[in-house]
């Protein structure tokens, strides 16, 4: 990924925040048949390793865990808010018309090594953490204990745990930082008016 200096996001805590807010990652790997991509909800363990560790699971039928050697290099991509930006939203356009359309977005690339776990203890931990995280806002959160033990054991046999030990994080926040303030504010107001509040809020956080 090409991150110009004004769009680069080097802060690990900010990159972790983006991953946690947008946990569906695209796991890119290189196997004997070429490049492959799997779309998985990841759980970030920010305290494990220097840059953190990503936990997930795949179907046992998925060839990913069998075709890659333990410790194989992989890349997980996480997309934050994104959207089209019209030059008509910039007040400066009315002065010079020297404005063009663009696409704003936030993205994190997590480089690391892949490790497979088939043991039930690991799987139960990952599933418990995932459900606890995503059920937290529910009035009556579902938990693993709600499922009959025999049914849960059957489901556990059908999945394999994976661990991505992050070796490098690369972040990019392309949010009009190189534009003058009035144009940035104009784009934010236009996004809010169109119901794209997530992207507007992301841009707002970059304002001085």
């Amino acid at each position: 990924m090409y991150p110009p200096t004004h769009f680069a996001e080097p802060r690990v805590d900010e990159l972790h925040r983006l991953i946690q807010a947008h946990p569906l990652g695209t796991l890119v790997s290189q196997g004997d048949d070429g490049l492959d991509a799997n779309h998985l909800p990841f759980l970030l363990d920010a305290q494990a390793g220097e840059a953190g560790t990503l936990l997930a699971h795949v179907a046992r039928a998925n060839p990913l865990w069998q075709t890659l050697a333990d410790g194989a290099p992989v890349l997980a991509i996480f997309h934050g808010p994104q959207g089209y930006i019209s030059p008509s939203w910039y007040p400066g356009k009315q002065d010079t018309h020297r404005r063009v359309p663009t696409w704003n977005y936030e993205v994190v690339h997590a480089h690391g090594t892949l490790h497979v776990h088939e043991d039930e203890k690991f799987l139960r931990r990952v599933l418990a953490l995932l459900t606890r995280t995503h059920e937290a806002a529910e009035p009556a959160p579902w938990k693993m204990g709600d499922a009959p033990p025999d049914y849960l054991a059957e489901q556990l046999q059908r999945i394999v745990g994976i661990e991505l030990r992050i070796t490098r994080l690369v972040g990019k926040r392309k949010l009009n930082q190189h534009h003058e303030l009035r144009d940035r504010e104009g784009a934010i107001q236009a996004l809010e008016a169109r119901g794209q509040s997530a992207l507007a809020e992301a841009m707002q956080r970059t304002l001085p």
Side-chain angles (χ1 to χ4, degrees):
M1 178 169 65
Y2 166 58
T5 303
H6 46 276
F7 295 148
E9 178 50 79
R11 296 172 295 173
V12 173
D13 59 339
E14 180 62 17
L15 300 180
H16 281 178
R17 183 193 66 79
L18 281 167
I19 291 173
Q20 290 170 325
H22 307 278
L24 183 67
T26 301
L27 180 65
V28 182
S29 57
Q30 174 77 53
D32 293 339
D33 296 327
L35 288 172
D36 189 23
N38 284 267
H39 308 280
L40 308 170
F42 282 94
L43 180 79
L44 172 68
D45 184 348
Q47 306 307 315
E50 196 168 310
T53 295
L54 295 167
L55 306 173
H57 61 85
V58 297
R60 186 169 286 274
N62 189 327
L64 170 74
W65 67 278
Q66 293 177 311
T67 56
L68 295 181
D70 186 67
V74 291
L75 167 66
I77 302 171
F78 298 89
H79 290 278
Q82 52 83 28
Y84 175 78
I85 304 296
S86 169
S88 298
W89 300 346
Y90 302 142
K93 174 185 178 296
Q94 309 309 319
D95 296 339
T96 68
H97 294 281
R98 298 176 65 86
R99 303 289 188 275
V100 293
T102 192
W103 203 280
N104 280 2
Y105 59 88
E106 293 183 299
V107 68
V108 181
H109 285 193
H111 299 261
T113 57
L114 191 71
H115 306 270
V116 174
H117 297 270
E118 294 186 73
D119 57 289
E120 185 175 321
K121 183 179 179 182
F122 180 91
L123 284 170
R124 284 183 176 273
R125 174 175 174 260
V126 170
L127 293 178
L129 290 171
L130 279 168
T131 53
R132 193 180 307 152
T133 299
H134 297 294
E135 289 280 335
E138 294 298 316
W142 182 91
K143 55 186 183 299
M144 291 173 65
D146 292 346
D150 59 334
Y151 173 76
L152 187 59
E154 178 186 329
Q155 296 301 307
L156 285 169
Q157 291 297 315
R158 296 180 178 179
I159 61 174
V160 173
I162 62 171
E163 175 188 20
L164 194 166
R165 298 173 189 168
I166 301 173
T167 55
R168 182 165 61 101
L169 285 170
V170 182
K172 184 174 182 179
R173 303 173 73 200
K174 182 179 175 294
L175 300 170
N176 282 125
Q177 296 97 315
H178 59 312
H179 282 253
E180 58 181 287
L181 183 59
R182 61 173 179 161
D183 285 351
R184 295 163 73 178
E185 291 175 337
I188 290 170
Q189 292 169 10
L191 288 168
E192 289 174 340
R194 287 159 178 76
Q196 293 180 269
S197 58
L199 183 55
E201 288 171 10
M203 291 178 64
Q204 186 76 43
R205 286 194 294 268
T206 69
L207 295 180

